[in-house]
């Protein structure tokens, strides 16, 4: 995670903005380090504005839970940021 993400996790206040940025950073990490191209492509094609429910892939749900124990995070904002991070990463291909 970036320095920004790490410093936000040290902040114990709960906010959508913090959750979004932490999710954005984690989405980039997942897309660049763990995802195969087809799974990354599948998630990058989801329409964020029409998002009703999404299950994070693989261990990403567990990562969210662990991060949430370090600092309170809002799931919906985190997922929105996570998807944007994946979308930004796939542009590099």
């Amino acid at each position: 995670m970036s320095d920004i993400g790490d410093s936000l996790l040290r902040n114990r206040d709960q906010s959508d903005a913090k959750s979004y940025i932490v999710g954005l950073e984690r989405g980039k990490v997942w897309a660049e380090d763990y995802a195969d191209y087809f799974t990354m492509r599948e998630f990058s094609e989801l329409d964020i504005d029409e998002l009703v429910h999404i299950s994070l892939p693989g261990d990403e749900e567990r990562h969210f839970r662990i991060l949430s124990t370090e600092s309170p995070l809002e799931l919906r904002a985190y997922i929105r940021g996570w998807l944007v991070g994946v979308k930004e990463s796939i542009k590099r291909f």
Side-chain angles (χ1 to χ4, degrees):
M1 186 119 27
S2 73
D3 291 337
I4 294 170
D6 289 336
S7 67
L8 285 172
L9 286 173
R10 287 191 293 274
N11 180 347
R12 298 299 298 165
D13 296 331
Q14 189 169 6
S15 79
D16 284 346
K18 176 180 82 171
S19 300
Y20 177 88
I21 293 170
V22 171
L24 177 81
E25 294 293 325
R26 183 63 204 167
K28 288 178 185 178
V29 168
W30 175 81
E32 294 170 6
D33 296 342
Y34 299 103
D36 63 63
Y37 176 78
F38 297 106
T39 306
M40 182 173 44
R41 178 86 187 210
E42 177 185 335
F43 278 95
S44 73
E45 292 174 351
L46 292 175
D47 186 352
I48 296 169
D49 294 327
E50 295 180 10
L51 184 65
V52 175
H53 177 72
I54 180 176
S55 293
L56 294 169
D59 287 340
E60 289 305 297
E61 182 75 27
R62 183 173 57 85
H63 281 283
F64 170 77
R65 299 289 173 220
I66 291 170
L67 292 172
S68 292
T69 62
E70 294 176 22
S71 182
L73 298 172
E74 296 288 334
L75 179 60
R76 187 141 177 91
Y78 178 90
I79 290 175
R80 289 179 65 80
W82 188 89
L83 287 171
V84 170
V86 172
K87 288 176 185 283
E88 286 182 8
S89 294
I90 201 158
K91 290 178 184 176
R92 296 180 183 163
F93 285 94

